[in-house]
Structures are given as structure tokens and as C-alpha cells.
RNA sequence: GGCGCGGUAGCCAAGUGGUAAGGCCGAGGUCUGCAAAACCUCUAUGCGUCGGUUCAAUUCCGACCCGCGCCUCCA
């Protein structure tokens, strides 16, 4: 069954098809590594991970080539480096490592190539020179290089912006160097007071400096995937100007279609509004793990909304996800290794293949589980878990360290219970509860867990 | 102002021109000394408001109300 996915350019559902050589080329815009990624960022990466998994199931793991970049030089990374007075590479290394750890915890398959902007300066400079030679870019008085959007008739096709609605902002100081306010930077001339020692030799005729943001994706895609790719994705916020600019750069330089399919996932809202530190609703994966939630529950919660709809994320939804995961684990344990119905969960995959309807897929999944019809086999179930990227082996929550006084209370209660002094046992349970601990009795022993709020 | 998205049970959230998936919570039950877990059962005459089209609308059309995102470097 083909995978159908909304295409942001044509705004319709279109089938995903590999390149003529049978390889599917997939590029997903990655993070800027200057701070911990938040769960809104991870919504996009988890959604893209599901796309990656569906592609592997559809075309074969060896036929999918997935590239996701790391933006390790831009205003924010440099700003952070200046602020902390640490070298840029040190800053970006720190946050790249955390990003990788978070991705692994969320069970995201690593991309086949994860190129960095600083590792591809040469490729970016080459592309800028190509654009200058073709008349699509020009050198500004300060030595920066800008892309001339008037030179590309197709500009605005993706975002449907025909004439730029200019919004007066004081931060548009770069406008002084541009021919047109819509033009965007391909290369930014070095500014010692802002950039510190971050600079490279520029394109021929330009000043030393660093690449503009958009050019890295165009250059790295060309190097690692070629001039035309099969799918390009990112968050909706990248639609304009980032992806619009990528199209302009790549198509003007290469003279051929850049991406045959575009897909943008919507934003995550928290408590009905955008995340921000001042509102106190800004979460990183680490924040949620510290609250006792498992990364797998975070992943499930991020998939509970349709990827092209804003998702209202709440701590309650994490609760729901944690419970739902427990059901899935229980169900998996009850499945026979080889049941009769080897395609029992096909409808779940069908939902995913129909424009990545993750909530619909989860609904179909639980419906099948609840009906208990036939004898679903483990392989079919596991295939669905693979597609969703749900690792059921992961513990529900990290082990908490039990304070010695709690252990002592528990021991006393266990002894009282063994002596059938239930009144004393109940009293001790109350004390434990008051202290925030749950004592789970087993046949031959007990477990202690922090009470869920 | 421009472009775009959405308003479905206490919360989250699918969906279809023919009478509302699913998850969580809650209630009842089975099982357990208690608690927890597991399992079973139940939970929207209703899908922002008002009109229209239709044999039939939550689903199509129009108007209105409300919320949200992007509009130069934010996934």
C-alpha cells in the first residue's frame, strides 16, 4: 500500500515515490545546537522518525537515505558562544551530544548522514559562487553576499507570498546592505564585535565571514543526496522563509527541481499556548524525565495528535500515554509468537500510510486490542510498534532511590503483614502514603514506588 | 493587513452525507487481608453559533463568534 502524504507545495495528498534508481532520498531540517531542544522540536523529529520508519517498511531499509543536518554556526550559536565566552565548537558539541542522547531516548532512528554547517563551508561557498556567476546573487558594500529574489520568478510558490508584506521592524538593520528588503543573506561578512573569531574565507570577491543560514541545507543536500530529492520536511515555521529560500538557491544553482515533495508538521502548544520560559510551560525531555515520566510516554504523547494539526500538550496527556503504554506492554506479553492472523494490525499501518494519521492509527490499534478477535500474532503487532517507534521494553519510569526511613517503614509493615497484624500494616501503609510512597505487595515481597501526583 | 490552521464528551483526540474511533480520568464489577496491578462493563440524542442545500449534515455552502501559528534567520 502506497504512502500518501500531504504536500505543502501543491497542498494536496500525494503518493511518496522513490527516485528513478529506486532509492528514496529524504531530508529533514535538523536542530540548531545552542541549547537543549524542547519537546516542540522533538515533535517534529518524532514525526519525521515515523516517516523514516514507514519508508523503510515500504521501500526496504537499504533503499532509504535519510539526511538531517545540525546547524552549528548561525546567530544563535555564535551568540551563545560569545555569552559564555567559550569556543563555538565547544558549545555546539555539548548540545549536539544532548540532542543525540534525547533522540536515542525517544527511540528515533539516527539519520544515515548528519552533516554540519561548519563541516561544509567549502560546499556552501561553491554554491554561493555559482549563484553569483549566474546573476542570482550580489555582493553588498560590506562584503556580504545576498540572494536576489527578483532573479527567481518562482519565488514564493511554497509560501504563496507574491509580494512581500513588509513589516517594519527595527531589527532589520541588514536591510541597509540589500538591494531589496526581501533579499536574504547567503554569506555574512565578519563582524568582530559580534562574531568573535568565527570566520572563514568567503566566496570569490566577498569578505571573510560565515554562511547565511539557508545555504547550508541547499549545499549539504546537493552533496549528500543530489540535486533532486524525494522528500523535504521540517516544522511549519520553516516553510517561510527557510524552505522558500532553499528552493530559490538550489533551483537557481542547479537548474533543476529541488524537492519533489514537501511536508511540514505543525507546532506543539503547551496548555493551549506557545511554549515560553516566562509562562513556565517550557519543557525539555530532561524536564519531563525529572518529573518521573518516561521518554517513551513523551514519544507516544507527541504522536497522539495529527502531525499537521497543532497539538495541545499537557502533563495529563503524558499520564494518558504512560497508562496506554502499560496496556500495550500487557497486550504484547499475551500474544502468541505465531498466531493465526498474521495481518491483524494492517489497519493500523494503513492509517499511518494515509497522511500519517497517528491518532487514527492509535485508535485502530486499541480497537483491535479491545476486540480480541482472532489470534493476532506478535510479528504483526511488532511491525506496528516498529512503525510507531514504540519500544515496549523500556521501563515505565526510572528507578527512584528509596530513602532509608521509607525502607524501614516498609520493612515494619511487611513484618506486621506476615504476622497478620493487619491493623498495624494498614497504619504503616498510611504513613508511607503520607510520605509520598506506594508499597506494592507481591507474593514473596514488595516494591516501593513514588506516588504519582 | 497578508498567508494558513483549528473549535467533537471532565481532559486529550480520530472520523464520515446516513445517524459519533480510541486513549486518560471517573463509576460499577471480578480478583486480592488492605492497597496496587490485571481483566470485564458503563460513560457525547451530541460534534463553536446562526442560517442554507439535502430524504438525511457533526460531515457540503454562507455568515458570525472564539482560539492559534507564520509573515527574515523559530521544529
Amino acid at each position: 500500500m502506497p504512502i500518501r502524504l500531504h504536500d505543502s507545495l501543491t497542498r494536496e495528498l500525494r503518493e511518496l515515490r522513490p527516485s528513478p534508481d529506486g532509492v528514496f532520498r529524504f531530508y529533514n531540517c535538523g536542530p540548531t545546537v545552542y541549547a537543549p531542544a524542547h519537546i516542540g522540536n522533538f515533535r517534529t523529529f518524532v514525526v519525521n522518525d515515523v516517516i523514516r520508519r514507514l519508508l523503510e517498511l515500504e521501500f526496504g531499509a537499504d533503499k532509504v537515505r535519510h539526511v538531517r543536518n545540525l546547524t552549528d554556526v548561525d546567530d544563535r550559536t555564535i551568540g551563545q558562544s560569545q555569552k559564555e565566552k567559550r569556543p563555538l565548537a565547544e558549545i555546539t558539541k555539548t548540545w549536539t551530544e544532548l540532542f543525540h542522547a534525547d533522540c536515542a531516548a525517544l527511540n528515533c532512528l539516527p539519520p544515515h548522514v548528519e552533516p554540519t554547517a561548519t563541516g561544509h563551508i567549502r560546499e556552501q561557498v561553491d554554491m554561493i559562487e555559482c549563484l553569483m556567476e549566474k546573476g542570482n546573487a550580489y555582493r553588498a558594500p560590506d562584503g556580504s553576499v545576498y540572494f536576489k529574489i527578483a532573479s527567481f520568478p518562482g519565488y514564493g510558490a511554497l509560501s504563496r507570498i507574491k509580494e512581500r508584506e513588509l513589516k517594519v521592524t527595527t531589527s532589520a538593520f541588514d536591510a541597509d546592505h540589500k538591494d531589496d528588503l526581501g533579499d536574504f543573506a547567503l554569506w555574512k561578512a565578519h563582524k568582530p564585535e559580534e562574531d568573535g573569531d568565527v570566520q572563514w574565507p568567503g566566496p570569490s570577491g566577498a569578505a571573510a565571514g560565515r554562511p547565511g543560514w539557508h545555504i547550508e541545507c541547499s549545499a549539504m543536500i546537493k552533496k549528500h543526496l543530489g540535486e533532486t530529492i524525494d522528500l523535504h520536511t521540517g516544522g511549519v515555521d520553516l516553510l517561510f522563509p527557510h524552505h522558500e529560500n532553499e528552493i530559490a538557491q538550489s533551483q537557481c544553482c542547479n537548474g533543476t527541481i529541488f524537492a519533489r515533495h514537501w511536508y511540514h508538521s505543525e507546532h506543539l502548544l503547551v496548555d493551549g499556548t506557545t511554549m515560553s520560559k516566562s509562562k513556565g510551560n517550557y519543557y525539555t525531555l530532561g524536564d519531563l524525565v525529572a518529573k518521573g515520566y518516561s521518554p517513551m510516554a513523551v514519544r507516544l504523547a507527541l504522536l497522539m495528535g495529527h502531525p499537521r494539526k497543532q497539538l495541545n500538550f499537557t502533563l495529563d496527556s503524558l499520564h494518558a500515554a504512560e497508562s496506554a503504554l502499560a496496556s500495550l506492554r500487557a497486550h504484547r506479553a499475551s500474544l502468541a509468537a505465531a498466531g493465526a492472523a498474521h495481518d491483524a494490525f494492517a489497519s493500523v499501518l494503513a492509517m499511518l500510510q494515509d497522511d500519517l494519521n497517528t491518532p487514527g492509527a492509535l485508535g485502530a490499534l486499541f480497537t483491535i486490542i479491545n476486540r480480541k478477535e482472532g489470534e493476532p500474532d506478535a510479528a504483526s503487532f511488532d511491525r506496528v510498534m516498529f512503525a510507531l517507534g514504540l519500544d515496549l521494553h523500556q521501563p515505565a519510569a526510572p528507578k527512584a532511590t528509596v530513602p532509608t526511613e521509607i525502607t524501614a517503614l516498609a520493612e515494619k509493615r511487611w513484618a506486621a503483614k506476615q504476622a497478620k497484624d493487619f491493623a498495624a500494616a494498614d497504619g504503616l501503609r498510611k504513613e508511607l502514603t503520607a510520605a509520598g510512597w506506594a508499597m506494592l505487595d507481591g507474593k514473596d515481597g514488595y516494591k516501593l514506588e513514588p506516588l504519582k501526583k
Side-chain angles (χ1 to χ4, degrees):
Chain A
M1 185 176 168
I3 303 169
R4 299 200 312 153
L5 194 66
H6 178 83
D7 174 26
S8 311
L9 185 61
T10 58
R11 302 197 182 183
E12 55 190 26
L13 230 46
R14 291 179 53 230
E15 190 177 325
L16 246 27
R17 294 174 181 279
S19 301
D21 64 358
V23 174
F24 194 97
R25 293 172 170 79
F26 170 33
Y27 185 86
N28 169 21
C29 278
T32 301
V33 279
Y34 75 110
H38 60 244
I39 53 169
N41 296 309
F42 282 116
R43 178 184 196 197
T44 298
F45 299 127
V46 165
V47 164
N48 276 274
D49 185 56
V50 175
I51 294 177
R52 155 81 181 271
R53 290 164 180 271
L54 287 176
L55 289 171
E56 288 198 2
L57 288 174
E58 182 74 9
F59 303 119
D62 59 333
K63 294 291 186 190
V64 178
R65 192 162 169 80
H66 175 199
V67 178
R68 184 182 64 209
N69 69 306
L70 291 165
T71 297
D72 62 349
V73 55
D74 78 323
D75 291 350
R76 291 179 298 161
T77 45
I78 291 173
Q80 194 62 29
S81 160
Q82 292 291 99
K83 193 172 151 192
E84 292 186 39
K85 295 186 171 29
R86 289 167 63 204
L88 179 66
E90 213 175 273
I91 298 287
T92 57
K93 181 171 184 284
T94 300
W95 298 115
T96 296
E97 283 170 1
L98 179 67
F99 177 67
H100 284 159
D102 285 353
C103 283
L106 289 169
N107 202 31
C108 290
L109 296 171
H112 300 106
V113 186
E114 197 172 35
T116 59
T118 58
H120 295 72
I121 298 296
R122 184 68 250 167
E123 288 81 355
Q124 295 178 76
V125 167
D126 285 349
M127 202 160 200
I128 295 169
E129 289 177 346
C130 168
L131 290 167
M132 291 173 86
E133 282 166 23
K134 291 191 172 189
N136 299 109
Y138 58 90
R139 181 193 192 279
D142 70 341
S144 296
V145 179
Y146 288 93
F147 184 93
K148 188 177 185 60
I149 62 168
S151 73
F152 180 53
Y155 196 82
L158 182 66
S159 55
R160 310 279 161 113
I161 289 180
K162 294 208 161 52
E163 287 176 24
R164 294 303 318 287
E165 291 284 331
L166 298 183
K167 207 169 141 186
V168 181
T169 59
T170 52
S171 63
F173 50 82
D174 283 336
D176 294 344
H177 304 298
K178 301 177 186 176
D179 285 357
D180 185 281
L181 211 47
D183 293 349
F184 59 90
L186 293 168
W187 187 262
K188 303 178 90 158
H190 183 63
K191 291 178 186 163
E193 67 284 1
E194 289 174 27
D195 301 339
D197 61 356
V198 177
Q199 60 173 317
W200 290 267
S204 171
R210 52 167 173 111
W213 174 39
H214 315 296
I215 194 69
E216 67 176 73
C217 291
S218 284
M220 297 190 291
I221 284 173
K222 184 173 184 175
K223 175 171 185 185
H224 296 286
L225 292 172
E227 295 186 348
T228 299
I229 62 175
D230 303 302
L231 176 64
H232 192 135
T233 67
V236 274
D237 51 320
L238 297 185
L239 208 141
F240 185 86
H242 187 53
H243 289 161
E244 194 72 74
N245 292 351
E246 282 185 47
I247 293 174
Q249 295 161 343
S250 290
Q251 300 203 353
C252 286
C253 176
N254 302 329
T256 184
I257 187 168
F258 176 48
R260 301 194 297 133
H261 206 304
W262 288 88
Y263 182 77
H264 295 90
S265 45
E266 254 296 349
H267 275 184
L268 183 76
L269 300 181
V270 174
D271 300 328
T273 177
T274 47
M275 252 188 292
S276 78
K277 284 175 182 165
S278 61
K279 289 175 189 161
N281 64 351
Y282 183 97
Y283 299 119
T284 63
L285 182 62
D287 292 337
L288 297 174
V289 168
K291 285 178 184 292
Y293 298 103
S294 68
M296 214 32 56
V298 174
R299 179 174 177 115
L300 219 206
L302 292 176
L303 293 174
M304 290 198 300
H306 190 108
R308 289 197 297 109
K309 265 178 80 171
Q310 291 171 347
L311 172 66
N312 186 24
F313 180 90
T314 62
L315 255 25
D316 275 348
S317 69
L318 237 31
H319 244 93
E322 207 79 77
S323 299
L325 276 176
S327 301
L328 291 176
R329 288 194 190 93
H331 181 73
R332 177 62 181 82
S334 75
L335 288 178
H342 46 265
D343 231 4
F345 293 97
S347 63
V348 181
L349 280 179
M351 278 292 193
L352 291 177
Q353 287 163 333
D354 182 15
D355 198 28
L356 214 61
N357 188 348
T358 52
L362 291 168
L365 173 63
F366 281 98
T367 300
I368 295 165
I369 289 175
N370 293 338
R371 283 189 189 152
K372 297 188 183 314
E373 283 169 3
E375 276 184 74
D377 69 331
S380 179
F381 182 82
D382 289 347
R383 193 158 54 244
V384 166
M385 288 302 108
F386 170 81
L388 291 166
L390 295 177
D391 177 3
L392 300 183
H393 300 293
Q394 193 162 320
K399 296 268 181 250
T401 48
V402 185
T404 51
E405 60 269 28
I406 298 298
T407 310
L409 279 173
E411 281 298 326
K412 270 178 74 178
R413 181 177 166 276
W414 188 252
K417 182 187 167 177
Q418 295 307 307
K420 302 223 185 291
D421 181 357
F422 296 127
D426 288 350
L428 286 159
R429 178 182 287 287
K430 276 184 183 162
E431 282 187 51
L432 283 162
T433 304
W437 289 82
M439 184 164 171
L440 309 178
D441 293 0
K443 217 177 197 174
D444 307 307
Y446 60 87
K447 281 196 301 186
L448 285 164
E449 279 183 7
L451 282 177
K452 295 281 185 200
K453 59 158 193 63

